[in-house]
Amino acid sequence: MRAQAEVLQVRRPTRLAQQAVGLLTIAPGLILILGLILYPVGYQVWLSLLDKHSFFPEQRFVGLDNYVYLWGDAEFWTSLWLGVIYSVSTIVLQVLLGIAAALVLHQPFRGRGLARAVVLFPYMIPTIVAVILWRWLLNDTYGLVNYVLMAWGLLREPISWLGADHIMLALVLVSVWQFMPFVLLAILARLQTIPEDLYEAAKVDGASAVRRFLHITLPHIRGILFVVVLLRSIWMFTKFDTVWLMGEGAGAGRFIRTLPVYAYMRTLTYYQAGLGAALAVIMFAILMVGTVIYFQVFRREVDIG
Amino acid sequence: MSAARTRRLLGRALIYAVAAFLVFLAGGPFVWMLSTSLKPPGEVFAHPPALIPAAPTLENFHRLFGQTSFLVYFRNSVLVSGLAVLLTLVVGAAGAYSLTRYRYAGREQIAVLILCTYMFAPIMIVIPFFILAKRVGVENTHLVLVLAFTSFCLPFTLWLLRAFFETIPLELEEAALVDGADRLRAVLHVVAPLALPGLIATGIFTFILAWNDYIFTRILISSDELKTLPVGVQDLFHSALIDWGLIMAAGVLITVPALVFFLAVQRQLVAGWGSGGLKG
């Protein structure tokens, strides 16, 4: 081994050359991330201090005027509120249903592999497909959902799912359908690493299924749950495509105009790039504060991140 | 004995019932999409709706190919996603190799920095990205889309491949080097085959992200002939009266590639490590 190492030492390029090769091979990736992610994010902060048209080069430094404007902007507060309703309801439902589904699909039964594949699949499809599919299913006149609910006697009259009263419900439904599999997948993966003999021993001791869940399963999935809730919160709070596509042309779109959609519209409907950027910066700040609080509150309870 | 047996049977029945319900909720909508896509226009709006088309037809698919730019969008999607996968794999593998095989100042800091960018959502980047792309003069090109997808997938790719490369013993490469191979040959013939599962997985994730993307394409592409499927199909959806048969046919065709890739990766997904590797 020592002799081999010495041979390598002789054949190896010098330390300096090694460093150079190392830096050269990481460089393309680093340049892309710095130039195309971090630089735009930094530029966004600068942009939020400008009065700038989205397409024309003219710009004017206005300091914090964009933020001051938004502070007094009713539409901003509405979008923030709608975004909170949307994120909280979808996250709670995704996590609860995801855990329940994972517990069931963890049990051995015939056809389990196929069942898992089918249940995970909605997460893999383009959002546009999820949205057109559900807008067809939820169509007020010809939709299958209204037809089935009425045929079963659960509804007297068809519901206008994409109307002002129900569009948020429809959006939450579609989002949970599309993103619950992520939670399911993460929990299912973790469940498979819990030693089976823990459950066997508990059964011998006469512990009920509920007690086994509370005292064995829950402590084991706590770590992954911590990460999953964090990621899903970040992603649901910044979710753009599902929300935008559900509201587009639906008439009642403004009842689901969450913060990301509002930022998009300020930039590309009203061409106020500065205001759009300020909204994105606010979104980012809320996420940062939220993440810090989340860590403060829950981190102590979790051993492994 | 019989009480315990009854309880066990009830438990099994419950598991089957819940599993069947989950499969119905997740898979049912796709069956309905396929069913609608095979119906002639008159039947699409029939009351009561029928699951099996009375007179199944491929007319919707014919019209999709003949009367819309669907095939152009499809080609663009394949091109852009394919190039994004290729670039991500090359840049990602080189970077991950560097992070595991060479020592230099700031290596760990670079790794942490990369991980942090994993948290950014598209909506937080796309507006300044668009303005900067316009300033450079590359907006409305496939190149800018490929670069956007690549840089967006890189953080995850670098981390996953780094984890893979770390498990490959250094001795294997050194043996190849001793045998007279140069570094590149050692990497291609010794490291790459061992890291193949990781390369395939990151390739598939990049493909799915690029294939599914809506927001980057919507904002960065304005010419109809450069649009990819999600944006192209949305515009189809926009036109005056919604032609549900046609739209569902488009939905079926966009779903097929995702289905193929999903079936390929499905087993590994559930096996565990893939859970952190998805975005959105």
Side-chain angles (χ1 to χ4, degrees), chain A residues 189-236:
Chain A
R190 185 68 183 89
L191 286 178
Q192 288 171 353
T193 64
I194 304 176
E196 197 53 42
D197 36 330
L198 287 179
Y199 292 102
E200 296 304 330
K203 267 188 204 166
V204 171
D205 291 345
S208 67
V210 176
R211 284 182 69 89
R212 290 200 299 270
F213 174 76
L214 289 177
H215 294 287
I216 303 174
T217 312
L218 203 56
H220 274 94
I221 62 172
R222 210 171 244 188
I224 189 73
L225 215 51
F226 176 82
V227 178
V228 163
V229 171
L230 178 67
L231 286 175
R232 285 258 53 101
S233 305
I234 293 174
W235 291 337
M236 292 323 291

Side-chain angles (χ1 to χ4, degrees), chain A residues 13-14 28 31 35 39 41 63 69 73 87 89 141 149 167 183 191 199 201 219 227 237 248 261 293:
Chain A
T14 62
I31 289 170
Y39 178 62
V41 167
Y69 173 84
D73 176 23
S87 333
S89 53
T141 325
L149 290 179
I167 192 166
V183 182
L191 286 178
Y199 292 102
V227 178
F237 190 66
E248 258 277 84
V261 174
I293 294 174

